[in-house]
């Protein structure tokens, strides 16, 4: 009897759920998937080939055919659907069964679900999964959070399905409670930051440097051989080569410049504000997606606000843009990781930054060669607050800041927006100042609202009767 039961279950057989489950099946596990859409349930069986995989539309059948304690992953859209699925499943489950939410759930929802599901004696993990459809099928980066004992139930499976860097699987227990979804949220915040930085580099290379699409493709392909080597740079090269099936030239020129977003970047910015940790490059990326969406308003004002700002590309412009992109990429990671370090203390996640950098080296959207250096920085100093304070990064950042300044100046002279690049540079400039002009802010606050201030030359709290 036990032999005919399945070892791993999936609810939600859209492309992510189906691909993840097929990946599990490829590793030799018997799997069962449930989706209310019969076509999707059937597609799973068809694509599984010789692997032992069953699709069903019935929650009752699904639960009854799983080995106990049951391991059930959900890959459904974040939000109320996750709660609806859990509500359907709970009456059918038994003590020690495990629900794994693999979607991009907000970490606060995960904390609530951990409590609610836990009260029923059912175990729960909030797991970030990154890598898109292809990653789910061939090897994603997996960020599990909850209780370590619940993680250990499925660790052997997740280690097999995760991407590998050498022999290291890109999965590790992230920490308590909603740690997994929190880490995934910040992963996505970084994803926004890096994508916006690449977009600004593209704009400069094209509009100031005069590079054509094939030249841009070659440029990004070459960058992908060096320290910028990363999934996002790699696919950018490929994108510039893609021909337009409806006409001449490349597809990129026909794509509407309005970026959509599902919210994880915004959550990162919002939560960073709550923690008082500055992430201006990620904020800039969210802002630029919002500005991009205001297409009609931009079109309306464009003729009246046009400025004559053509500039010649400075010497070695492409190399300088390369350095500026690398400089700002490191700053974006520094901001996101700083947030993780701080949030870990406040949420008591007990995050290990070294482990996070390690599992981000493969499978996920922000995978990059740079993450090995980041991993080393945290390996050397587990409590490192900010990469800018690390000897692994400080010297190279100092070296690349000059190129970044020139690139930002060029963008400003050319009238091109560079919110992410310039925010990264300003963040660097602010972070390295011993003294910022916010003494004036304090004076103003005390002047108009008696909010008091501290002094640099003596202790205590002061208030001045200004103007008298
Ligand atoms: C990943 C991606 C994935 C999703 C993004 C897209 O890590 O695999 O981050 O989760 O593609 O969330 O986000 P936006 O729609 O907000 O750009």
């Amino acid at each position: 009897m036990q032999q005919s039961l399945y070892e791993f279950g999936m609810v939600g057989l859209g492309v992510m759920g189906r691909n993840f489950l097929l990946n599990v099946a490829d590793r030799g596990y018997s799997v069962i998937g449930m989706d209310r859409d019969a076509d999707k349930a059937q597609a799973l069986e068809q694509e599984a080939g010789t692997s032992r995989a069953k699709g069903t539309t019935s929650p009752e059948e699904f639960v009854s055919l799983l080995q106990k304690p049951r391991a059930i992953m959900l890959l459904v859209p974040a939000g109320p659907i996750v709660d609806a699925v859990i509500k359907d499943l709970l009456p059918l489950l038994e003590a020690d069964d495990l629900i794994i939410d693999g979607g991009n759930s907000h970490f606060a929802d995960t904390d609530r679900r951990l409590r609610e599901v836990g009260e029923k004696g059912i175990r729960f993990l909030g797991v970030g999964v990154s890598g898109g459809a292809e990653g789910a099928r061939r090897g994603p980066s997996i960020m599990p959070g909850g209780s370590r004992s619940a993680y250990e139930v499925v660790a052997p499976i997740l280690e097999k399905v995760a991407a590998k860097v050498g022999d290291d699987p890109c999965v590790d227990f992230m920490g308590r409670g909603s740690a997994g979804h929190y880490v995934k949220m910040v992963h996505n915040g970084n994803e926004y930051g890096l994508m916006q930085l690449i977009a600004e580099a593209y704009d400069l290379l094209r509009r100031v440097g005069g590079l054509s699409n094939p030249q841009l493709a070659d440029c990004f392909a070459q960058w992908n051989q060096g320290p910028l080597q990363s999934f996002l740079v790699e696919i950018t090269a490929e994108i510039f080569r893609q021909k337009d099936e409806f006409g001449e030239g490349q597809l990129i020129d026909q794509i509407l410049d309005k970026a959509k977003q599902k919210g994880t970047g915004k959550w990162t910015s919002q939560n960073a504000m709550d923690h008082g940790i500055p992430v201006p490059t990620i904020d800039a990326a969210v802002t630029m997606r919002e500005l991009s969406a205001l297409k009609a308003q931009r079109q309306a004002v464009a003729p009246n606000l046009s400025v004559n700002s053509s500039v010649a590309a400075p010497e070695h412009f492409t190399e300088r843009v390369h350095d500026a992109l690398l400089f700002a990429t490191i700053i974006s990671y520094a901001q996101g990781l700083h947030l993780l370090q701080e949030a870990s203390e406040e949420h008591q996640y007990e995050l290990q930054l070294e482990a996070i950098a390690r599992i981000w080296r493969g499978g996920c959207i922000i995978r990059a060669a740079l993450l090995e250096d980041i991993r080393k920085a945290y390996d050397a100093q587990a409590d490192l607050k900010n990469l800018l304070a690390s000897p692994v990064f400080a010297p190279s950042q100092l070296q690349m800041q000059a190129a970044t300044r020139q690139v930002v100046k060029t963008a400003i002279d050319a009238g091109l927006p560079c919110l992410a690049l310039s925010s990264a540079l300003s963040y660097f400039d602010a972070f390295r100042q011993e003294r910022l002009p916010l003494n004036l802010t304090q004076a103003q606050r005390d002047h108009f609202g008696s909010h008091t201030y501290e002094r640099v030359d003596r202790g205590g709290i002061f208030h001045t009767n200004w103007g008298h």
Side-chain angles (χ1 to χ4, degrees):
M1 171 66 187
Q2 189 73 357
Q3 272 179 352
S4 62
L5 298 178
Y6 294 87
E7 292 161 289
F8 191 82
M10 175 72 72
V11 178
L13 298 176
V15 65
M16 286 295 291
R18 190 162 75 243
N19 279 1
F20 194 100
L21 200 55
L22 289 168
N23 185 351
V24 177
D26 282 351
R27 314 291 149 191
Y29 295 96
S30 56
V31 301
I32 180 164
M34 203 275 288
D35 199 295
R36 295 284 188 188
D37 180 341
D39 290 345
K40 288 186 181 153
Q42 212 177 18
L44 169 73
E45 292 187 8
Q46 275 161 4
E47 286 180 39
T50 54
S51 303
R52 189 154 174 256
K54 177 175 173 60
T56 175
T57 57
S58 153
E60 290 77 13
E61 184 184 35
F62 172 71
V63 170
S64 69
L65 287 178
L66 273 164
Q67 268 179 28
K68 297 179 198 172
R70 302 174 179 92
I72 299 174
M73 188 162 184
L74 320 182
L75 267 169
V76 298
I81 297 179
V82 177
D83 290 308
V85 170
I86 292 172
K87 194 163 166 251
D88 284 351
L89 284 176
L90 277 181
L92 305 171
L93 300 183
E94 292 164 77
D96 286 343
D97 285 349
L98 171 63
I99 297 177
I100 305 157
D101 175 14
N104 276 334
S105 291
H106 191 283
F107 69 91
D109 287 336
T110 301
D111 280 323
R112 172 179 55 78
R113 289 172 189 141
L114 267 159
R115 272 194 314 275
E116 289 171 359
V117 172
E119 278 163 15
K120 307 262 188 275
I122 308 296
R123 296 185 283 188
F124 190 83
L125 288 171
V127 177
V129 178
S130 178
E134 188 61 20
R137 185 70 185 85
R138 309 271 161 230
S141 176
I142 307 175
M143 297 152 242
S147 75
R148 191 177 277 279
S149 60
Y151 169 62
E152 275 160 11
V153 174
V154 280
I157 300 179
L158 297 184
E159 284 173 12
K160 288 198 184 89
V161 301
K164 306 282 178 308
V165 173
D167 289 336
D168 284 349
C170 292
V171 57
D172 202 351
F173 182 64
M174 295 284 95
R176 298 205 288 223
S178 56
H181 279 143
Y182 195 93
V183 171
K184 178 61 177 22
M185 175 187 79
V186 177
H187 166 284
N188 282 26
N190 263 316
E191 177 183 302
Y192 277 48
L194 305 184
M195 289 168 77
Q196 179 58 30
L197 290 168
I198 293 172
E200 291 177 12
Y202 155 56
D203 212 20
L204 281 159
L205 291 174
R206 186 171 70 106
R207 293 168 73 177
V208 177
L211 267 60
S212 63
N213 288 328
Q215 286 170 325
L216 283 163
D218 290 345
C219 173
F220 277 89
Q222 194 198 330
W223 288 0
N224 196 44
Q225 303 300 314
L228 275 173
Q229 193 275 316
S230 61
F231 173 70
L232 286 170
V233 168
E234 179 190 331
I235 63 166
T236 302
E238 202 173 287
I239 286 167
F240 289 125
R241 288 210 177 89
Q242 189 76 37
K243 297 254 187 300
D244 180 16
E245 60 175 321
F246 293 113
E248 295 292 297
Q250 285 77 30
L251 174 59
I252 186 70
D253 295 328
Q254 304 305 329
I255 294 182
L256 187 65
D257 55 329
K258 281 168 78 169
K260 299 272 167 58
Q261 47 181 323
K262 289 200 281 290
T264 44
K266 183 182 76 179
W267 295 346
T268 308
S269 284
Q270 285 174 328
N271 193 256
M273 291 257 176
D274 289 342
H275 286 295
I277 298 298
V279 293
T281 309
I282 296 170
D283 301 340
V286 176
T287 299
M288 286 308 296
R289 288 203 191 189
E290 290 162 356
L291 272 160
S292 83
L294 302 177
K295 175 90 174 170
Q297 292 178 49
R298 290 188 285 117
Q299 278 175 322
V301 301
N304 301 331
L305 293 181
S306 81
V307 285
N308 187 4
S309 52
S310 79
V311 294
E315 256 186 80
H316 306 299
F317 189 55
T318 305
E319 290 80 355
R320 296 213 161 108
V321 175
H322 170 277
D323 285 2
L325 181 57
L326 183 55
F327 171 93
T329 296
I330 291 165
I331 297 277
S332 181
Y333 278 115
Q335 293 169 9
L337 292 163
H338 189 181
L339 173 60
L340 284 174
Q341 192 76 289
E342 204 64 36
S344 176
E345 280 175 33
E346 289 197 31
H347 296 270
Q348 295 166 348
Y349 285 146
E350 298 181 1
L351 300 178
Q352 302 296 320
L353 277 279
E354 186 274 338
I356 295 170
R358 174 160 40 82
I359 67 160
W360 282 356
R361 289 177 308 164
C364 64
I365 303 296
I366 64 168
R367 63 183 182 261
L370 195 57
L371 279 156
E372 175 55 17
D373 291 337
I374 295 178
R375 189 199 67 73
K376 280 187 191 140
Y378 285 103
D379 196 31
Q381 196 185 340
D383 63 351
L384 178 68
K385 290 271 186 219
N386 195 296
L387 287 181
L388 288 177
S390 157
V392 179
F393 288 101
S396 59
Q397 288 300 89
L398 208 50
Q399 205 204 330
M400 292 185 295
Q401 55 84 34
T404 310
R405 264 176 232 292
Q406 193 179 28
V407 168
V408 169
K409 272 190 268 185
T410 305
I412 289 169
D413 287 344
L416 295 179
C418 62
L419 208 57
L421 278 170
S422 58
S423 79
L425 183 59
S426 284
Y427 176 88
F428 172 82
D429 282 337
F431 208 79
R432 68 185 180 80
Q433 302 289 332
E434 280 190 37
R435 193 162 162 84
L436 288 169
L438 287 287
N439 48 336
L440 178 57
T441 309
Q442 282 296 79
Q444 290 165 329
R445 292 178 68 249
D446 191 54
H447 189 300
F448 63 64
S450 303
H451 294 297
T452 73
Y453 57 90
E454 292 171 273
R455 296 180 58 101
V456 292
D457 59 346
R458 66 196 68 198
I461 303 291
F462 295 86
H463 166 62
T464 293
N465 201 7
W466 296 89
H468 294 284

